Amino acid sequence: MEPINEAHVSEPGLVVVDVAAADDATALAFQQLLADRWATATAEHTTRDAGEPGVRLRCYLDAPAGRLISGWR
């Protein structure tokens, strides 16, 4: 995965989420759970790293600081 840069976390409430999962369906389902709760820039697909198990996915959340934890229900 590409490194996280300053623009990704330039203000409070911006969150970068790196997901590792056994398969595409699991990673995309988890991303959808996040997207259902917060404004999310979603990934179109997962990636596979040669020699590594499972898949990877990165998404970006805009979760105002006061709502990050309270929004998870």
Side-chain angles (χ1 to χ4, degrees):
M1 287 202 157
E2 298 290 321
I4 296 169
N5 68 48
E6 241 178 86
H8 295 141
V9 291
S10 61
E11 60 187 68
L14 297 179
V15 180
V16 179
V17 179
D18 285 331
V19 177
D23 56 47
D24 294 339
T26 302
L28 294 169
F30 180 74
Q31 176 181 248
Q32 188 59 51
L33 286 173
L34 297 175
D36 289 346
R37 288 159 179 77
W38 299 289
T40 308
T42 58
E44 297 281 324
H45 54 72
T46 62
T47 60
R48 293 184 183 272
D49 294 331
E52 296 289 323
V55 298
R56 305 285 186 270
L57 173 141
R58 176 176 285 170
C59 60
Y60 304 89
L61 305 181
D62 184 359
R67 293 185 47 222
L68 185 61
I69 300 301
S70 64
W72 192 261
R73 293 184 186 169

